[in-house]
Amino acid sequence: MLNTYMTYEDLTKYIEESGRSYDMKLLDQAYELAAKAHDGQMRRSGEPYICHPLNVAKLLVELGMDSQSIAAALLHDVVEDTAVTLEEIKSKFGPDVALLVDGVTKLTKMTFSSLEEQKAENLRKMLLAMSQDVRVMIIKLCDRVHNMRTGDAWPEQKRRDKALETMEVYAPIAHRLGISGIKEELEDRSLRYLDPVGYNEINNLLDTHGAEFLNGIRSDIREHLKENGIEPECIKSRVKSVYGIYRKMYMQRKNFDEIYDIYAVRIILDNVAECYNALGQIHDMYHPLPNRFKDYISTPKPNGYQSLHTTVIGREAIPFEVQIRTNEMDRMAEYGVAAHWKYKAGVSSRDRLDERLAWVRQLLEIQREADDSEELLRDIKSDLLPEEVFAFTPRGDVINLPAGATAIDFAYAIHSAVGNRMIGAKVNNRIVPIDHVISTGEIIEVITGPADKGPSRDWLKIVKTSEAKNKIRNWFKKERREENIAEGRAALDRELRRNMINLTDAKMQEMLAEVARRQRMNSVEEMCAAIGYGGLLLSKIMPKIKEEYTRIREEEAPREAVIPKRVHATDGVIVEGIDNCPIKFAKCCAPLPGDEIVGFITRGFGVSIHKKDCENVKASMANEENRERWVKAYWAPNESKAFRAAVEIEAMDRDGLLSDLLQTLGDMRVPILGMNARPANNSHAVITINVSAANTEHMNNILGRLRKVRDVISVTRS
Ligand code: MN
């Protein structure tokens, strides 16, 4: 532990050395208030209390956090432990610093004993969501780091409790935020309290001169590469954390000797050619271990990770891993894809929170270089707006629900029995409607009625989670069979009527039995019950009923009608029973759209279309041999090609005549291609309008409608 107590002068000196510009006036004031407030307080370790906030502030400077965060770090314990109020902080330092202090105070008040995996996961997410401004969480993490550093002063039980909480809640959050330095320190310090024997065993195994060893290797490598014309951008090194080794030894059951990446050196170069060149040099310098070389440059990992990995062994007989990559690959590996992150964390792709936080890490990293950290933090803040909400039971269990979930969802999330018996809810001790939409942090008490109370069908429309929906349906399925059957039967009958499906009772029962069988239901009753409680959607089975109905109808109907009529228009003509055949119009009678027509199947030239009253048709039909080859044909009403026609209208000339005529055509949706109007004798007017008509029938309609316009004398096709 520290022999000399940390002072504010130490902190300011450290800030100066960071080279970043800070609002020193703000920090001076914050320190002054904190020092005065904590004056006379001592930590368990014997230091003056103010040393703790000073150390936390220093950790935040190390992370490159902004002035407000440092100020909040200095003040983080005053509201909790001294007479200073949040209001005072707000008036002196502004709402932002106050919000940070308030957030840290709230997090400090929560303590969590041993947690199951799922609970711990919920809690981590809840804490992140609740801290809203991610800076709150970062300050809290630094607070925890310093507390763990000085934890030897705690009594045994407190050490273990804090260590467990750190391991289960805070280290994973640090990992999520990508602050790996803090994550590793929190894990190692927790392990030291939770399994002192295991920790010491590894710590003793780790060469105490690890850093020295790596420094030697780094300068050896640098020198050797330089001799061969390669100047690396940088060479980094690291010793695997004690907890990292612990996990491999105890969870993957490996021997210490089998862990080859305890020491690692990373060489960052300009380009890919240099990477392979450097690899050759490394294998020249050290003895490579067999089967440990991986070329992720030519074959990147599925997540895009690129690097050369090799494990070598040097004079000291200590194996170490060498990673060689370009600067770009290094950046990708460090901050790149969320998938890489997940891969390392071993988390399933259960939610998007990981992804959303992945780039918080990037921003934190950029922020160390950029000056405008405030804007970046605003971005992070908006990114952390929760898609999930976290509420508590009165006993303090955390329930995680999607945003928008109601008190009913909450009740069903506790247990289906709680949901089924629900008659009301209290939020923070006040009665709320059961469709109350839950916000994070609320304590919700479900008020239950008698055991046989049961949910309401209307709840199906209120609840947000499928879990609640299923549980409500299940209740109706089990508890209300008769009611379900009646309700399902009624709904089915309505739908049958609507679709005009009529059969004799016996036939109807037979048909429904068949549909039920196809739904793998034991009986029509069971199917109706399923419709009643909502387990089977009418919209799902109606097509099957219609299909079955059509089949029955076809069986009953005369054979002729069963032959499917294929009707596809070719050249605006539909030939019954023949699809897409070439069409030609007979020269003898030259049929026009609107004429009654028939088709004659020629030998090899498709179907020729005649007017029905064509003399040739009558003659041919009389011939026994040809009769089979005459087929029904008619004009396709919608698909026939429109034709142009001119309409001449004679009318009494008056105001608004033209507009009335155009209105009439407009109402009929007739396209107008051109128009001409001129005065005639006897104050008549003659108007010619070029229109487009679908066929002669359509044309006749148009003429008829125009004749009905007031003051129109005659309408003719011209
Ligand atoms: Mn503290």
Side-chain angles (χ1 to χ4, degrees):
M1 224 48 28
L2 297 169
N3 289 327
T4 49
Y5 302 139
M6 180 160 176
T7 63
Y8 186 58
E9 284 64 46
D10 295 337
L11 181 68
T12 49
K13 199 168 153 239
Y14 189 74
I15 286 174
E16 247 166 62
E17 283 165 4
S18 79
R20 289 167 53 89
S21 60
Y22 280 94
D23 181 350
M24 291 314 292
K25 215 179 120 209
L26 180 77
L27 300 191
D28 289 348
Q29 273 182 336
Y31 170 72
E32 226 167 90
L33 179 69
K36 213 170 86 195
H38 289 299
D39 189 35
Q41 291 179 347
M42 300 295 260
R43 301 197 85 214
R44 222 185 274 266
S45 59
E47 303 169 288
Y49 196 90
I50 192 67
C51 291
H52 168 62
L54 281 171
N55 273 291
V56 176
K58 184 181 176 217
L59 285 165
L60 285 159
V61 176
E62 269 172 42
L63 284 177
M65 298 300 291
D66 61 348
S67 300
Q68 289 180 337
S69 305
I70 313 295
L74 290 169
L75 296 165
H76 82 270
D77 276 331
V78 295
V79 175
E80 174 81 352
D81 298 339
T82 77
V84 177
T85 64
L86 202 60
E87 278 310 308
E88 196 177 340
I89 291 179
K90 198 171 175 181
S91 69
K92 283 194 174 134
F93 303 97
D96 280 13
V97 173
L99 206 75
L100 294 177
V101 173
D102 187 38
V104 177
T105 306
K106 278 182 181 152
L107 290 180
T108 305
K109 278 184 187 159
M110 296 182 184
T111 51
F112 320 100
S113 45
S114 178
L115 299 157
E116 304 152 32
E117 186 61 23
Q118 185 56 44
K119 263 195 201 164
E121 183 57 31
N122 281 346
L123 203 58
R124 278 171 224 144
K125 286 198 260 173
M126 183 197 69
L127 292 180
L128 276 171
M130 276 183 85
S131 61
Q132 279 178 359
D133 189 328
V134 77
R135 291 179 295 180
V136 169
M137 190 47 80
I138 295 167
I139 296 167
K140 181 65 198 167
L141 288 172
C142 291
D143 175 47
R144 182 49 60 100
V145 167
H146 187 247
N147 283 334
M148 292 296 283
R149 281 183 187 175
T150 52
D152 286 353
W154 288 328
E156 171 70 15
Q157 186 57 46
K158 185 169 181 182
R159 269 189 217 168
R160 297 186 69 88
D161 288 350
K162 288 281 174 195
L164 201 60
E165 185 183 275
T166 302
M167 195 66 115
E168 287 184 330
V169 178
Y170 290 106
I173 289 176
H175 181 51
R176 285 278 174 80
L177 291 175
I179 314 171
S180 53
I182 285 184
K183 175 215 162 212
E184 286 186 358
E185 181 167 354
L186 288 177
E187 283 173 347
D188 280 4
R189 290 189 182 276
S190 300
L191 183 66
R192 201 174 132 247
Y193 290 148
L194 292 171
D195 183 357
V197 177
Y199 177 87
N200 285 329
E201 190 188 340
I202 292 167
N203 210 24
N204 293 339
L205 284 168
L206 269 178
D207 195 295
T208 42
H209 304 294
E212 212 176 294
F213 163 69
L214 282 168
N215 277 340
I217 285 173
R218 269 161 59 187
S219 65
D220 285 355
I221 291 176
R222 189 177 290 280
E223 203 172 308
H224 189 90
L225 290 181
K226 199 175 174 186
E227 279 167 21
N228 290 278
I230 305 170
E231 294 240 26
E233 203 157 299
C234 72
I235 302 179
K236 305 176 193 172
S237 64
R238 66 137 183 83
V239 182
K240 201 176 185 67
S241 71
V242 174
Y243 183 66
I245 298 166
Y246 183 89
R247 286 221 325 206
K248 279 208 168 169
M249 284 177 72
Y250 293 93
M251 301 192 186
Q252 297 181 22
R253 310 214 158 274
K254 281 191 175 168
N255 273 324
F256 189 81
D257 311 340
E258 291 171 285
I259 306 169
Y260 293 121
D261 61 348
I262 288 170
Y263 301 106
V265 174
R266 185 180 300 158
I267 307 170
I268 313 293
L269 294 155
D270 264 349
N271 56 55
V272 173
E274 274 189 353
C275 290
Y276 286 101
N277 196 347
L279 178 75
Q281 301 300 334
I282 294 296
H283 284 175
D284 207 30
M285 288 175 75
Y286 305 100
H287 181 69
L289 293 183
N291 302 322
R292 296 285 306 178
F293 169 63
K294 306 239 165 52
D295 182 354
Y296 295 122
I297 289 185
S298 66
T299 317
K301 285 192 183 179
N303 58 36
Y305 174 86
Q306 284 189 297
S307 188
L308 298 175
H309 286 193
T310 186
T311 305
V312 296
I313 195 156
R315 283 190 308 274
E316 297 90 341
I318 300 168
F320 58 94
E321 189 174 78
V322 181
Q323 302 172 351
I324 307 170
R325 54 174 88 145
T326 65
N327 207 346
E328 202 188 326
M329 292 171 191
D330 190 49
R331 234 174 246 175
M332 272 298 290
E334 292 283 298
Y335 322 110
V337 255
H340 172 63
W341 221 36
K342 287 189 174 200
Y343 166 74
K344 282 194 99 173
V347 233
S348 66
S349 55
R350 202 144 26 95
D351 55 56
R352 283 183 45 236
L353 192 70
D354 289 5
E355 274 171 50
R356 286 188 289 148
L357 291 178
W359 62 269
V360 171
R361 171 187 198 173
Q362 290 183 43
L363 289 177
L364 285 171
E365 194 61 27
I366 297 163
Q367 188 203 327
R368 281 180 210 166
E369 290 146 31
D371 262 331
D372 192 9
S373 54
E374 242 173 78
E375 197 181 310
L376 290 167
L377 284 164
R378 259 201 305 278
D379 290 349
I380 296 172
K381 196 166 152 183
S382 71
D383 186 60
L384 280 173
L385 282 179
E387 283 180 4
E388 295 166 291
V389 291
F390 303 86
F392 296 99
T393 66
R395 275 179 30 222
D397 290 333
V398 180
I399 304 282
N400 173 11
L401 293 162
T406 64
I408 306 175
D409 291 288
F410 183 87
Y412 277 101
I414 297 172
H415 196 276
S416 48
V418 177
N420 290 336
R421 293 176 59 180
M422 180 181 198
I423 52 171
K426 280 185 188 175
V427 169
N428 303 338
N429 276 324
R430 292 177 59 178
I431 297 267
V432 295
I434 54 171
D435 60 355
H436 167 80
V437 174
I438 293 170
S439 313
T440 289
E442 286 178 345
I443 299 168
I444 299 178
E445 185 186 341
V446 177
I447 306 164
T448 54
D452 61 347
K453 196 242 148 210
S456 150
R457 269 183 215 279
D458 295 338
W459 291 5
L460 287 170
K461 291 178 203 127
I462 298 168
V463 295
K464 174 95 178 174
T465 59
S466 50
E467 188 191 0
K469 247 176 218 161
N470 286 336
K471 285 178 175 173
I472 294 169
R473 284 199 187 116
N474 268 329
W475 188 88
F476 280 109
K477 183 178 173 181
K478 267 193 261 162
E479 303 292 323
R480 293 288 154 92
R481 189 172 152 81
E482 294 307 314
E483 200 178 284
N484 288 334
I485 294 171
E487 197 151 313
R489 184 78 217 199
L492 181 61
D493 283 346
R494 267 197 308 276
E495 200 59 20
L496 290 171
R497 271 198 306 279
R498 216 173 60 76
N499 284 279
M500 291 186 287
I501 294 174
N502 293 308
L503 288 171
T504 60
D505 285 355
K507 280 255 179 200
M508 181 66 88
Q509 190 62 24
E510 196 181 302
M511 177 184 80
L512 292 179
E514 174 60 19
V515 173
R517 196 187 59 74
R518 283 170 62 187
Q519 290 297 312
R520 297 176 209 288
M521 299 276 182
N522 290 321
S523 64
V524 177
E525 267 198 348
E526 192 183 317
M527 181 169 76
C528 289
I531 295 168
Y533 71 77
L536 182 62
L537 291 177
L538 268 173
S539 59
K540 281 255 172 65
I541 58 163
M542 278 319 287
K544 283 163 189 148
I545 288 180
K546 283 182 205 159
E547 199 178 289
E548 193 65 17
Y549 180 67
T550 312
R551 197 182 59 77
I552 292 168
R553 267 287 134 98
E554 279 168 2
E555 269 172 14
E556 289 173 341
R559 230 183 121 49
E560 181 196 317
V562 181
I563 299 164
K565 293 175 181 174
R566 282 177 292 166
V567 281
H568 260 118
T570 311
D571 292 340
V573 170
I574 292 167
V575 180
E576 231 170 57
I578 301 170
D579 218 359
N580 288 331
C581 65
I583 292 287
K584 55 182 182 178
F585 295 103
K587 292 233 169 62
C588 52
C589 54
L592 282 169
D595 295 330
E596 285 205 332
I597 50 174
V598 287
F600 183 76
I601 302 169
T602 64
R603 297 192 198 280
F605 295 100
V607 176
S608 78
I609 302 296
H610 293 256
K611 278 187 180 173
K612 219 170 199 171
D613 54 7
C614 170
E615 288 304 320
N616 290 339
V617 174
K618 283 174 190 163
S620 173
M621 274 194 176
N623 186 335
E624 188 71 40
E625 221 186 285
N626 287 346
R627 198 168 295 161
E628 292 273 314
R629 295 167 60 189
W630 286 99
V631 288
K632 282 185 187 164
Y634 45 88
W635 300 99
N638 298 320
E639 296 175 50
S640 61
K641 281 177 192 156
F643 64 95
R644 300 173 60 133
V647 182
E648 193 175 86
I649 302 152
E650 191 172 355
M652 298 294 294
D653 201 358
R654 63 163 169 91
D655 281 342
L657 173 67
L658 222 51
S659 127
D660 286 355
L661 293 170
L662 295 179
Q663 181 71 45
T664 304
L665 293 172
D667 288 345
M668 292 182 79
R669 305 264 180 279
V670 175
I672 296 162
L673 308 166
M675 196 176 71
N676 173 39
R678 60 186 162 82
N681 296 331
N682 315 326
S683 50
H684 286 191
V686 176
I687 299 133
T688 312
I689 306 175
N690 291 312
V691 298
S692 166
N695 50 42
T696 41
E697 201 193 342
H698 188 209
M699 191 66 220
N700 288 334
N701 272 333
I702 295 170
L703 299 177
R705 288 282 290 272
L706 288 173
R707 284 188 188 109
K708 286 185 185 143
V709 174
R710 189 164 58 87
D711 293 332
V712 167
I713 297 159
S714 70
V715 180
T716 48
R717 268 181 77 172
S718 59

